[in-house]
Each structure stands twice: as structure tokens, then as C-alpha cells.
């Protein structure tokens, strides 16, 4: 035989109750050897609790809630029982409602709600639901019989969380339920003392009723029907990618339940485990799915089976030199807590015995502190022990699995996943059985930690990366296009799930808890609120997502001002924006130090050479112990094109006009030709080699005559440039006479950075450069005779965006 329990989540409304009735009808027709345990209709227990408090605290407001409860139950009768068959069920229901009203009225008159009175009131939820379901099933000619749980479940008088009297309960169940010809329906959650007083079994008490009856009747299984597909790998409300666990051992289920998994009440597993009766967790809305089986002999190859958490806890610390080596400290500490009925959730102690910390419910923190300080009053006054430190606003996250003890590296993976997402661990606990590892973290990091750990242990084949982008100009929009084009390929071939969570431009912004469609971002963004940079950054930080990257595709100094705050929140940054790295050296160093301290990445490959691997190559050389002797570089696509094309066939001014017409220069070519951008790039490269250099220390040659620099608008500039054509022709002719060409070169040598126009011969790699390509020549101790050459397009939206995109993927690889 089987025991089937239907929870309140399966009885929340007409549609849900219809599913339960159909399931029961089908089940009983195929196998009538079952016992049904019912919870109250969904939400009714909470309503009864509120009703009770209202009766104590107000005048007649509680009557309105009572009417709502009455109406809801009568509506169920009217929905499922033909009018001709409603009389008995309505009479029984109204009799219970009348008794409930009398009990509530008594509380109202006395203005006192004792635990005993509350148990009586709360019991009506299960009793009403069971009376009505008996009527509904009987109306369908299904043979069922209501059994009063007070005649079955014997308890002590600890109201609100009564303890089971085992022998009496087993005897009662066997006498009353064995050999029934009709299917027994038993209200869960309810018991009775030897004095005939109603008690309740506490949270999840209906599960307890089910397993108690299952154990007494030696059932083959207990099925707990709910509204989810079983016990999940994590709380699906906090971890969107959580999925059902097919099976768990008793110990694993106990641990997960203790640390927050809410589908099975921990004491409810004891009778089933003792009698080796498997528990099935099933979904009434997905009845064909097998759900989760909890039992013995269910081995798994997976080391971690689930992750659970308890939020809003308090962490108390007791420490002092007077604790070291003193026998009985722990006994006195936890004895003081036990005397005050304070339940301890987690305990951890330093091996030095200098400190003990433990977690409890926050509403017991003050009482715990008082009890401990009274117990150790002498030690505290003598200075042998500090006063108890209480820290609230913390959560406990537990990773559970029996095979963890046989799998090396579990703790390493756990702490690495937390560290890379900036989650600080305040306390750690692990039993010698290695069944679980528990950590105490800040409440605000709970969801981030759960998602990071879930991905580390259950989705290691797929890494999610949450991306926020500021700037949707040429580079930003191209980056978004590239991301959209590559998303499916990265997911299928690289197991990388890039999720766009935020976009902002100069006018609008949008940040969402669900990924933004990269194929429709323009329409989504234009309907977003007005851009507020501070609000954008604040919301991104408050979302506190794991594995997050911020991409700055602007040229704005305002965005750069937020870099340190972003890195400090353990969010990596990628950017083509040179302002942060070419400004004061102190800021450059501060950002790098912050990133290193927080274990995140600050990548800016596109600062120099767009998509060319210049900075990464340079960093690899330095990190591997090579010494940089000299850097020579052509770092401006505009100036590269101009001087590569300046062969004598065209005037210099005409070539500059061509560059502008082809989009190779800024609208005002002077912004490229003044060399400032090249100076910033060589400054960044100099700093990457380890030099402490400021921008004013870079020797910069502005190739434009003063008349061109001071010309007003662009038209005036070109007029002045035409007049300067002979000067440029003279420089070209002089170089050509020595079989040389002109190139605008950035050089770093002997600690000095220079940017100037130089004449070079055929032996130099820059001699044969064509088009608008950039080239960087690295002369090092290892690459001395034949320098290392990096060449390719150094400008343009496609290659620059590709450089930023490559940095994003590097961060994903680092996080995995």
C-alpha cells in the first residue's frame, strides 16, 4: 500500500483542486490500497494565523477574514459537488466554520492568544479541506472515509511543535486504518494530547503525518504531491537554472532540508528512513514526471547533489585568550543556549580554541547574547573573554553530497567560484563526514553565491556571462552585432552563454533581470528610461549577478570615474576607452591594484591597435621573464594611410582629404594628425612594461605647421594645409633621395617614449607598410636579432569591437 500526501500548493484554487481530484480518481480506480493525507487549502494556514493575530489586536476586523475563508471553502463545494449532493458536506463545513468562529471570538474577548489556542485555530485548515475533499470524491462515487487525526496521532503538549508519542501513534494507526474497505482521508498536521487537546506538528507537519502513517502500516512508498518537479538542485526562485534531482540518500535530503530546501520537513524523514520506506516528491501539474526519490541504496556519481541556503540569520562570535585549552567552555556555552531554547543552525571553532562562532535565527540573537554573557560574566569582567559579537544580515549556503568525501577539489572549486565573484566568506563549517560544506556570507550575496556555485557544480559544461554595455556608437553597436551573431555558436561549441543584461547610450538605458535580445536591442533601448549614468551603475551593482562584465564602449571620462567602484564590486571591465590608462599614473595603478585585489579582470586590448594582440603579447613577454629593449610602433591608422600613400604622386593635402573621405580620420583630421592619440597609446605600452611614466613625459612631435593648427574650421584647415604642401614634399624628397620613406613612429627605448616623424630605410619593417595598417615591433632579449612583429588593421569599428569581444571571452575563460 501507499500513502499519498497532497500539499497546500496543490489545493490553491479550483483549477488545482480539479487536477487533484482527477489524479485521485485515476489512482484509486487502479489501486485502492492507499491512504490520503491532506494539507489545508493553499494560503489558508497563513490566513488563520493572521486572523488569530487580528482577533487579539483589533475590534471586529477579523470577521472579514473569516468571511473570506468561509466563502472560499463554500465555492469549492459548489464547483465540484452537484447541488443535490451538497447538503452533508455544507453542513459539516459550516459546523467546522462555526466552531472556528467560536474559537476566534474567544481569543478576541480575552485579547490573548496562547499556543494552545493557536493550535486549535490552525487545525481548522486541514479539517475543512479534508471534509470538502471527502465530499467531492464521494460525489464522484469514489469510496472514501474521513478519519479524525486526533484519534491517530498521539503527542505531548508542546503546542506549535508537538512531539510524537510513537508507541501510541503506531498502535492507533494500525488499529484504525488496517483493513479499511474505503480509502481513508486523514487531515495532516494535527495531533492530540492524552488530555484530548489539539496540537499541531509544526512546519511541514502534514509530511510528518504521512510518513508516520506510512511507517505504522509498513507502506511500500510515501508520495508527496506538490507543485514542482521534485527537490531541485537549488531554490528555483533564486537560481533560474535549477533542475530536479532524480534521487537522494536520506542523509543528503536531511542536510538539504536542514539548510533551507523546503519540500520535505526534516523530522518527516525519520519514520520513513527507519522503516526504509522511499519518499517520492511528485508534481501534480506534471504527473507523468517521476520527480525525486529519497531513500537508501540510491548511489550517484555526482559529488554534489544540491545547494541550499538559509537567509536572514545571525552570526555570533565568542572569543578570548581565556578560552584556549580550558575544558568545558563549549559545554557551558551551548548549555546556556539550550536553557533558553535557542536552536543553533551552524557551529565552527578555530583549532586554537581561541574562538567559537555559531549561527542562529536573528530573533534569538539578543537572548543568546544575554545568556552567554551571563554565563561567562566572570571571564568577561576579568578580560579573559570578549563580549559576544553579533552580526546580523548573513546567510548560510550549504553544498551537499555524499560523494564529496571521495572527490578531491570540491572545497577548492567552491571557494574559487565564490572568490571570483567577490563573495566574502565569514565562517566555514564542515563535518568529518564531508557530507556538506557550509559557508556564512552576507545576505546581499546569497543569490549571487547560489548561482555561482550552481554553475560551478552542475553546469560546468556551460558558463554564463552577464554583460552590461555603455555606449552604442560605432564600436558599441558593432560589438552588439558581433555578440548576436556569435551567441548560438559560442553556446554550442564553447559552452559559453553570453547574456546581455544592460545597455545604455547618451539618451536611454535598459537593465533587465532577463537577458536582452541582441537582435532587437535598438527598439528595446529606445523605449527605456532616460540615461542616468549613476542610476545605471547603481542598478548594475545592486543586481549583484555572478560572472559579470562591464563593457565601456564610450570615450567618456564620466564613465571612467566609476571604474574603481565597479571593480570593487567584483565586476570585470573591458574597454577601448583610453582615458583611464593614459591619465595620471596613480589612477592607472589604482585600477590594476583594485582588479587584482578583487580577483577580477581589467582588460583593454583595444586601447592600442584595436583588435591586434599587442597588450596581451607584451604582458605575456613580461610575465614570462623577457626584458623589453625597444618598442617601435605605428599606432594611427589615419597617419599610417597618409604616409604610406605619400609617394610623390599626390599632394600631401589631397591624401589627407582622401583619408577623411574614406572615413579613416576624424571629421577634423587634426584630431588624428596632432599625434596625441599615438602618444596615449605608447604611454599605455610603456606602463605595461612596468615604467612609471606620465603623459607629459612623452616627447611628442606635432607634424602640422602652426598655421594648420590654428586654422579655424575644417575648411580653413585644408586651405592652410594646401599652403604647407611644399614643406611636406621637401621632407619626402629628402627621404627619397636616401632611399627612405616617412613614417610617423612611436618609440619606447631606455625609459623614454617619443612620437615623431622619421625617415626609415628598406631594412626596417615599417618600410613596406601599406594601407592603413598598424604595426608594432618588439625588440626584447629573446627577440633581439629578429624582433617580434605584430601587424594588421589598427582602426575601424569591426576590428576594435572584435578586440573588446575577445577580452569578454578571455574573462569568461578566466571565470571558468
Amino acid at each position: 500500500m501507499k500513502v499519498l500526501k497532497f500539499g497546500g500548493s496543490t489545493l490553491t484554487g479550483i483549477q488545482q483542486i480539479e487536477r487533484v481530484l482527477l489524479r485521485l480518481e485515476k489512482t484509486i480506480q487502479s489501486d485502492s490500497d492507499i491512504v490520503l493525507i491532506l494539507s489545508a487549502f493553499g494560503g489558508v494556514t497563513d490566513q488563520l494565523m493572521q486572523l488569530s493575530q487580528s482577533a487579539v489586536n483589533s475590534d471586529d476586523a477579523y470577521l472579514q477574514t473569516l468571511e473570506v475563508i468561509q466563502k472560499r471553502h463554500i465555492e469549492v463545494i459548489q464547483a465540484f459537488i452537484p447541488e443535490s449532493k451538497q447538503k452533508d458536506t455544507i453542513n459539516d463545513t459550516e459546523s467546522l466554520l462555526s466552531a472556528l468562529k467560536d474559537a476566534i471570538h474567544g481569543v478576541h474577548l480575552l485579547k490573548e492568544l496562547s499556543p494552545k489556542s493557536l493550535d486549535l485555530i490552525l487545525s481548522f485548515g486541514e479539517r475543512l479541506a479534508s471534509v470538502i475533499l471527502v465530499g467531492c470524491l464521494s460525489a464522484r462515487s469514489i469510496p472514501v472515509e474521513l478519519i479524525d487525526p486526533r484519534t491517530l496521532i498521539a503527542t505531548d503538549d508542546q503546542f506549535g511543535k508537538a512531539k510524537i508519542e510513537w508507541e501510541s501513534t503506531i498502535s492507533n494507526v494500525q488499529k484504525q486504518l488496517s483493513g479499511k474497505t474505503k480509502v481513508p482521508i486523514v487531515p495532516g498536521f494535527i495531533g492530540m494530547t492524552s488530555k484530548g487537546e489539539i496540537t499541531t506538528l509544526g512546519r511541514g507537519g502534514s509530511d510528518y503525518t504521512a510518513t508516520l502513517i506510512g511507517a505504522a502500516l509498513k507502506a511500500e512508498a510515501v508520495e508527496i504531491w506538490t507543485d514542482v518537479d521534485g527537490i531541485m538542485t537549488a531554490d528555483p526562485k533564486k537560481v533560474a537554472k535549477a533542475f530536479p534531482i532524480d534521487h537522494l540518500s536520506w542523509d543528503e535530503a536531511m542536510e538539504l532540508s536542514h539548510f533551507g530546501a523546503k519540500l520535505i520537513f526534516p523530522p518527516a524523514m525519520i519514520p520513513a528512513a527507519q522503516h526504509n520506506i522511499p519518499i517520492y516528491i511528485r508534481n501534480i501539474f506534471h504527473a507523468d514526471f517521476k520527480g525525486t526519490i529519497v531513500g537508501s541504496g540510491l548511489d550517484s556519481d555526482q559529488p554534489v547533489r544540491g545547494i541550499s541556503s538559509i537567509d536572514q540569520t545571525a552570526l555570533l562570535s565568542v572569543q578570548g585568550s581565556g578560552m584556549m585549552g580550558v575544558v568545558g567552555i563549549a559545554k557551558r556555552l551551548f548549555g546556556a543556549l539550550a536553557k533558553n531554547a535557542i536552536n543553533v543552525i551552524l557551529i565552527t571553532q578555530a583549532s586554537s580554541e581561541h574562538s567559537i562562532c555559531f549561527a542562529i535565527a536573528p530573533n534569538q540573537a539578543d537572548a543568546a547574547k544575554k545568556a552567554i554573557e551571563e554565563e561567562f560574566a566572570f571571564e568577561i569582567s576579568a578580560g579573559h573573554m570578549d563580549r559576544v559579537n553579533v552580526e546580523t544580515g548573513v546567510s548560510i549556503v550549504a553544498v551537499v553530497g555524499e560523494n564529496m568525501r571521495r572527490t578531491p577539489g570540491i572545497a577548492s572549486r567552491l571557494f574559487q567560484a565564490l572568490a571570483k565573484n567577490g563573495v566574502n566568506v565569514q565562517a566555514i563549517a564542515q563535518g568529518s563526514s564531508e557530507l556538506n560544506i557550509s559557508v556564512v556570507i552576507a545576505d546581499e550575496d546569497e543569490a549571487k553565491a547560489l548561482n555561482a556555485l550552481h554553475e560551478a557544480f552542475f553546469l560546468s559544461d556551460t558558463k554564463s556571462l552577464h554583460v552590461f554595455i555603455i555606449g552604442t556608437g560605432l564600436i558599441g553597436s558593432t560589438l552588439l552585432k558581433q555578440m548576436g551573431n556569435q551567441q548560438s555558436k559560442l553556446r554550442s561549441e564553447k559552452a559559453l552563454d553570453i547574456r546581455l543584461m544592460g545597455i545604455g547610450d547618451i539618451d536611454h538605458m535598459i537593465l533587465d533581470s532577463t537577458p536582452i535580445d541582441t537582435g532587437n536591442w535598438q527598439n528595446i533601448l529606445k523605449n527605456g528610461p532616460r540615461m542616468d549614468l549613476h542610476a545605471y551603475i547603481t542598478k548594475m551593482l545592486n543586481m549583484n549577478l555572478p560572472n559579470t562584465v562591464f563593457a565601456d564602449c564610450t570615450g567618456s571620462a564620466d564613465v571612467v570615474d566609476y571604474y574603481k567602484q565597479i571593480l570593487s564590486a567584483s565586476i570585470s571591465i573591458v574597454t577601448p576607452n583610453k582615458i583611464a590608462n593614459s591619465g595620471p599614473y596613480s589612477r592607472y595603478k589604482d585600477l590594476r591594484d583594485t582588479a587584482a585585489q578583487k580577483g577580477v579582470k581589467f582588460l583593454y586590448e583595444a586601447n592600442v591597435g584595436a583588435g591586434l594582440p599587442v597588450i596581451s603579447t607584451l604582458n605575456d613577454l613580461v610575465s614570462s621573464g623577457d626584458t623589453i629593449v625597444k618598442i617601435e610602433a605605428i599606432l594611427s591608422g589615419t597617419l599610417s594611410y597618409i604616409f604610406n600613400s605619400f609617394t610623390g604622386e599626390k599632394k600631401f593635402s589631397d591624401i589627407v582629404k582622401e583619408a577623411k573621405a574614406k572615413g579613416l580620420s576624424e571629421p577634423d583630421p587634426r584630431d588624428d594628425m596632432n599625434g596625441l592619440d599615438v602618444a596615449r597609446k605608447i604611454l599605455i605600452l610603456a606602463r605595461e612594461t612596468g615604467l612609471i611614466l606620465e603623459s607629459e613625459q612623452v616627447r611628442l612631435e606635432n607634424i602640422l605647421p602652426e598655421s594648420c593648427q590654428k586654422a579655424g574650421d575644417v575648411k580653413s584647415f585644408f586651405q592652410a594645409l594646401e599652403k604647407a604642401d611644399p614643406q611636406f614634399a621637401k621632407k619626402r624628397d629628402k627621404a627619397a633621395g636616401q632611399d627612405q620613406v616617412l613614417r610617423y613612429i612611436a618609440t619606447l627605448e631606455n625609459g623614454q617614449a617619443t612620437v615623431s616623424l622619421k625617415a626609415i630605410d628598406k631594412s626596417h619593417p615599417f618600410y613596406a607598410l601599406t594601407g592603413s595598417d598598424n604595426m608594432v615591433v618588439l625588440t626584447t632579449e629573446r627577440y633581439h636579432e629578429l624582433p617580434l612583429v605584430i601587424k594588421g588593421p589598427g582602426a575601424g569599428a569591426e576590428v576594435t569591437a572584435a578586440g573588446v569581444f575577445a577580452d569578454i571571452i578571455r574573462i569568461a575563460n578566466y571565470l571558468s
Side-chain angles (χ1 to χ4, degrees):
M1 62 88 61
K2 294 181 181 179
V3 177
L4 277 61
K5 177 258 178 176
F6 289 85
S9 61
T10 68
L11 302 168
T12 54
I14 300 298
Q15 182 182 359
Q16 290 82 359
I17 294 172
E18 172 69 17
R19 285 180 179 269
V20 171
L21 292 173
L22 290 172
R23 167 53 49 180
L24 288 175
E25 190 172 7
K26 181 178 179 181
T27 301
I28 293 170
Q29 285 173 353
S30 62
D31 181 8
S32 61
D33 193 12
I34 62 173
V35 177
L36 301 181
I37 312 298
L38 296 179
S39 294
F41 290 167
V44 168
T45 301
D46 289 339
Q47 287 179 314
L48 291 170
M49 183 73 76
Q50 294 165 7
L51 181 68
S52 303
Q53 296 295 337
S54 178
V56 174
N57 300 327
S58 64
D59 293 328
D60 297 326
Y62 70 93
L63 294 172
Q64 298 175 0
T65 306
L66 192 59
E67 288 177 6
V68 171
I69 292 173
Q70 178 175 339
K71 181 182 178 183
R72 179 177 178 187
H73 287 83
I74 296 298
E75 284 176 349
V76 175
I77 296 172
Q78 293 170 342
F80 295 111
I81 303 177
E83 188 174 353
S84 61
K85 298 180 179 180
Q86 290 179 5
K87 183 178 178 181
D88 288 345
T89 305
I90 286 180
N91 287 342
D92 290 342
T93 301
E94 288 182 344
S95 177
L96 284 171
L97 288 168
S98 177
L100 171 60
K101 184 175 181 180
D102 289 344
I104 291 290
H105 188 59
V107 168
H108 176 63
L109 292 176
L110 294 173
K111 298 295 182 185
E112 181 181 340
L113 181 63
S114 67
K116 178 179 175 180
S117 297
L118 182 59
D119 271 8
L120 172 63
I121 292 167
L122 295 181
S123 75
F124 283 97
E126 276 70 16
R127 292 158 70 188
L128 283 164
S130 298
V131 162
I132 292 171
L133 264 291
V134 166
C136 293
L137 290 167
S138 296
R140 298 185 181 208
S141 300
I142 299 173
V144 293
E145 178 183 355
L146 180 64
I147 305 296
D148 189 339
R150 294 172 293 184
T151 65
L152 300 178
I153 310 300
T155 73
D156 66 6
D157 60 358
Q158 189 176 328
F159 298 102
K161 197 174 182 181
K163 296 288 190 297
I164 300 296
E165 302 289 349
W166 280 86
E167 290 185 9
S168 297
T169 297
I170 297 298
S171 176
N172 292 341
V173 171
Q174 290 175 346
K175 286 179 182 178
Q176 296 195 49
L177 297 186
S178 297
K180 287 284 186 181
T181 57
K182 293 183 178 181
V183 173
I185 293 184
V186 183
F189 183 56
I190 302 165
M192 190 171 70
T193 69
S194 59
K195 296 178 181 179
E197 301 161 314
I198 285 182
T199 58
T200 62
L201 306 182
R203 182 177 69 83
S206 292
D207 293 348
Y208 206 176
T209 303
T211 58
L212 283 168
I213 291 175
L217 297 178
K218 296 180 173 57
E220 64 180 86
V222 173
E223 295 183 1
I224 296 177
W225 288 83
T226 180
D227 61 344
V228 295
D229 281 337
I231 299 177
M232 310 292 278
T233 49
D235 184 348
K237 294 178 182 178
K238 297 173 182 176
V239 181
K241 291 185 176 182
F243 56 87
I245 305 169
D246 53 2
H247 61 267
L248 289 169
S249 70
W250 294 114
D251 288 340
E252 289 170 335
M254 285 277 194
E255 289 289 329
L256 286 170
S257 182
H258 175 72
F259 284 101
K262 298 175 182 177
L263 283 182
I264 307 182
F265 184 46
M269 284 183 267
I270 296 172
Q274 288 177 341
H275 293 80
N276 198 26
I277 300 171
I279 298 176
Y280 291 76
I281 314 296
R282 306 285 298 278
N283 186 353
I284 192 66
F285 303 107
H286 193 184
D288 294 332
F289 187 72
K290 67 177 183 178
T292 301
I293 308 171
V294 180
S296 58
L298 302 171
D299 295 331
S300 171
D301 294 333
Q302 289 183 303
V304 173
R305 303 293 286 138
I307 303 167
S308 59
S309 64
I310 306 174
D311 58 7
Q312 295 297 317
T313 62
L315 186 67
L316 278 70
S317 301
V318 180
Q319 65 180 21
S321 58
M323 295 171 59
M324 298 173 65
V326 178
V327 176
I329 291 290
K331 178 182 176 181
R332 290 172 61 193
L333 171 62
F334 294 109
L337 297 176
K339 287 178 186 176
N340 288 270
I342 295 169
N343 182 50
V344 177
I345 304 169
L346 171 148
I347 305 168
T348 182
Q349 181 177 18
S351 58
S352 65
E353 302 180 19
H354 179 262
S355 66
I356 300 175
C357 68
F358 56 93
I360 60 174
N363 60 356
Q364 294 184 311
D366 290 341
K369 177 179 171 68
K370 181 181 178 183
I372 296 167
E373 291 184 347
E374 286 178 354
E375 176 66 31
F376 293 98
F378 172 75
E379 287 84 353
I380 293 172
S381 63
H384 298 156
M385 186 183 293
D386 299 339
R387 288 198 170 274
V388 178
N389 180 62
V390 178
E391 187 171 356
T392 56
V394 297
S395 295
I396 301 171
V397 174
V399 175
V400 175
E402 283 194 329
N403 282 339
M404 283 171 27
R405 69 171 71 95
R406 293 185 287 270
T407 307
I410 294 296
S412 171
R413 192 187 299 187
L414 183 152
F415 293 116
Q416 190 174 69
L418 296 178
K420 287 185 175 180
N421 284 282
V423 178
N424 182 49
V425 176
Q426 297 168 244
I428 306 162
Q430 180 179 21
S432 58
S433 67
E434 298 184 47
L435 184 62
N436 95 47
I437 302 174
S438 303
V439 295
V440 180
I441 61 173
D443 267 336
E444 58 265 26
D445 287 331
E446 180 196 10
K448 181 199 276 191
L450 287 170
N451 279 275
L453 293 174
H454 191 267
E455 192 161 88
F457 289 112
F458 294 108
L459 304 172
S460 54
D461 292 337
T462 304
K463 171 64 66 178
S464 294
L465 194 70
H466 301 100
V467 179
F468 294 82
I469 295 177
I470 283 278
T472 60
L474 209 52
I475 295 172
S477 60
T478 304
L479 173 62
L480 285 163
K481 181 187 73 173
Q482 292 176 354
M483 283 173 54
N485 291 341
Q486 284 294 106
Q487 266 181 320
S488 60
K489 185 175 182 180
L490 287 171
R491 196 177 295 116
S492 62
E493 296 183 9
K494 302 295 183 182
L496 175 59
D497 183 15
I498 293 183
R499 300 177 162 200
L500 179 64
M501 310 305 292
I503 324 172
D505 62 15
I506 196 169
D507 296 314
H508 298 94
M509 65 180 190
I510 187 79
L511 297 95
D512 205 336
S513 57
T514 57
I516 299 166
D517 182 4
T518 52
N520 190 37
W521 66 266
Q522 293 98 331
N523 292 327
I524 296 171
L525 180 59
K526 73 181 181 183
N527 292 315
R530 298 295 301 176
M531 166 53 77
D532 180 330
L533 182 58
H534 179 74
Y536 182 100
I537 301 298
T538 300
K539 185 170 182 181
M540 177 182 72
L541 299 183
N542 290 340
M543 287 171 73
N544 203 20
L545 296 172
N547 305 327
T548 298
V549 177
F550 174 74
D552 173 18
C553 295
T554 73
S556 167
D558 292 337
V559 179
V560 170
D561 289 340
Y562 285 95
Y563 279 12
K564 183 171 183 178
Q565 184 181 356
I566 293 169
L567 293 169
S568 297
S570 299
I571 295 175
S572 295
I573 295 177
V574 298
T575 183
N577 187 342
K578 291 183 282 291
I579 292 175
N581 292 318
S582 61
Y585 178 82
S586 58
R587 179 170 62 185
Y588 166 86
K589 184 177 185 301
D590 189 28
L591 293 177
R592 288 167 60 88
D593 290 347
T594 302
Q597 181 185 6
K598 293 296 179 179
V600 294
K601 294 294 182 181
F602 176 36
L603 302 182
Y604 37 86
E605 185 69 80
N607 274 193
V608 178
L612 296 178
V614 177
I615 292 176
S616 56
T617 302
L618 185 59
N619 286 335
D620 288 345
L621 292 170
V622 173
S623 298
S624 64
D626 203 351
T627 300
I628 307 301
V629 176
K630 181 167 68 172
I631 299 176
E632 294 177 288
I634 291 179
L635 298 172
S636 166
T638 306
L639 290 166
S640 179
Y641 176 83
I642 289 171
F643 286 105
N644 293 342
S645 304
F646 192 33
T647 59
E649 298 173 5
K650 299 177 183 178
K651 292 189 294 184
F652 187 78
S653 59
D654 289 338
I655 296 171
V656 176
K657 290 175 184 177
E658 278 182 15
K660 182 176 183 298
K662 290 183 177 183
L664 295 173
S665 78
E666 295 293 333
D668 187 338
R670 284 173 290 188
D671 292 340
D672 294 301
M673 299 178 71
N674 61 19
L676 287 174
D677 189 58
V678 177
R680 294 188 189 102
K681 292 176 179 178
I682 194 64
L683 174 63
I684 293 169
L685 293 180
R687 289 173 172 176
E688 293 297 300
T689 68
L691 288 176
I692 301 175
L693 209 64
E694 299 292 352
S695 57
E696 57 268 21
Q697 293 176 276
V698 179
R699 296 175 183 172
L700 171 64
E701 176 188 355
N702 189 329
I703 61 172
L704 292 173
E706 190 173 348
S707 59
C708 295
Q709 296 177 37
K710 293 184 176 180
D713 56 18
V714 175
K715 182 178 179 181
S716 301
F717 159 69
F718 275 113
Q719 290 173 347
L721 187 61
E722 289 173 3
K723 293 178 182 178
D725 275 337
Q727 297 179 42
F728 286 100
K730 183 178 179 180
K731 292 181 180 180
R732 183 204 63 225
D733 292 343
K734 180 180 178 182
Q738 300 176 32
D739 203 14
Q740 296 177 330
V741 293
L742 297 177
R743 299 289 185 262
Y744 194 66
I745 300 172
T747 305
L748 177 67
E749 190 173 17
N750 297 323
Q752 179 62 57
T754 60
V755 179
S756 61
L757 186 64
K758 294 182 179 179
I760 53 152
D761 60 28
K762 292 180 179 180
S763 65
H764 200 286
F766 294 160
Y767 186 90
L769 201 61
T770 59
S772 59
D773 281 356
N774 282 10
M775 183 180 286
V776 179
V777 178
L778 301 174
T779 303
T780 74
E781 285 188 353
R782 294 174 187 158
Y783 294 90
H784 199 275
E785 297 300 323
L786 290 173
L788 183 61
V789 177
I790 303 168
K791 175 188 173 185
E798 286 290 341
V799 291
T800 303
V804 178
F805 197 9
D807 277 346
I808 290 174
I809 293 172
R810 285 188 189 97
I811 289 172
N813 291 334
Y814 163 75
L815 290 171
S816 63

